[in-house]
Every structure is written in structure tokens, then in C-alpha cells.
Amino acid sequence: MKGMQRHLRAAQGYIELGMFVEASDELECIAPEHRSHPVVLAFRYDIYCELEKWTHAEVVARHLVKISPEDSGCWIGWAYATRRCQSIEAAKQILLDAEKLYPKDAQIQFNLGCYASQMENPEEAKRRVAAAISLDGKYQMIALDDPDLTVILKENPENLEG
């Protein structure tokens, strides 16, 4: 595991420098028996997202949900990659399943609001974003800059107040 930590630190450094191929190469130096560790897979997911290899990111994220279903971030990552390689509808279904496990997760609510907005369902979008804001106030500012929410914000930003 000590060698794994060294390679993860190196991969993190490469990621911070925007050197994603080199970061991926560093992960390949990890012993094969440790490459399926959730931390290694999370790095791999981040690299695939940065390289816009959405199908690869989706496969890794789906596996992370299988091995770490208690981590709502894994579900969010799976939906994020799925949206890009399949559809918003498929991503929404993933988050609807996650919502059953995490009904009070602000990020899940926010992303469901973004998906509803993109699917031209402004009432659901407003309700979901308002729920996210009530769970975590930081989503008020995030919502104002999110391009997915232009459908509900185009008339006035007060639409977020529910």
C-alpha cells in the first residue's frame, strides 16, 4: 500500500498540472491487486472526465457505485458520466435511484433540478433547486451561474426561491 500512496500522490500532482495522460500512466504503476481500490478508481474516473472519455468514466463510476454504494458522490459521478455518454434521461434515472437512498442530499437534488430544467420541466426544476438550496445554501450562488438552469432563470432569478 505504501507504493500505492506514492503513485497516487504523483498522479495527483500530474492532475493538478493538467497532465492527465501522465497521471494515468502513474496509476498503471500501481500493483495490479490494488488498481481496483476505490481511491485508485476515483482518480481514474477524474482522469477520464478530464479527457472527456465519458464511456470509460461511466464504466468506472458504475463500478464505484457497486463497491461503495454508501457514497452518494459515486452515484452523482455515475449520473454525470452517463449524461455525457448516453442521455439526460438515463442520468436522471440514476439520480432518482440515488435519491431513494439519500433523500436529503443537496447535490442530488440540485442535479435533478438541472436535469429537469434541461428536459423543459421548469416546475420540477424550481422545486428541486429550491430543495437543494434549503439543504445547503451554497446552491443559491451555484444555481445563478449554472448553464443548465437557464430555462428557469431566463425570466428572473427569483424563480429559484420556489
Side-chain angles (χ1 to χ4, degrees), residues 8-21:
L8 289 174
R9 281 192 304 277
Q12 180 65 41
Y14 283 128
I15 289 170
E16 290 172 6
L17 293 170
M19 300 170 69
F20 305 110
V21 172

Side-chain angles (χ1 to χ4, degrees), residues 100-155:
K100 293 171 190 166
L101 299 170
Y102 310 100
K104 301 292 184 191
D105 188 294
Q107 192 172 3
I108 289 173
Q109 292 301 318
F110 185 80
N111 285 334
L112 284 168
C114 290
Y115 296 166
S117 179
Q118 288 299 296
M119 296 169 79
E120 298 186 9
N121 186 342
E123 294 309 311
E124 179 185 357
K126 285 189 268 187
R127 181 175 52 79
R128 296 278 190 183
V129 172
I133 292 168
S134 73
L135 291 166
D136 187 338
K138 76 178 181 184
Y139 285 97
Q140 178 77 43
M141 293 305 296
I142 293 170
L144 293 173
D145 291 327
D146 196 306
D148 283 346
L149 298 174
T150 55
V151 170
I152 63 172
L153 292 174
K154 65 182 169 189
E155 292 178 17

Side-chain angles (χ1 to χ4, degrees), residues 52-73:
E52 297 185 6
K53 293 185 174 189
W54 300 117
T55 302
H56 296 320
E58 189 272 338
V59 168
V60 171
R62 185 173 0 109
H63 184 69
L64 279 167
V65 166
K66 285 182 185 175
I67 62 174
S68 301
E70 71 286 349
D71 183 349
S72 65

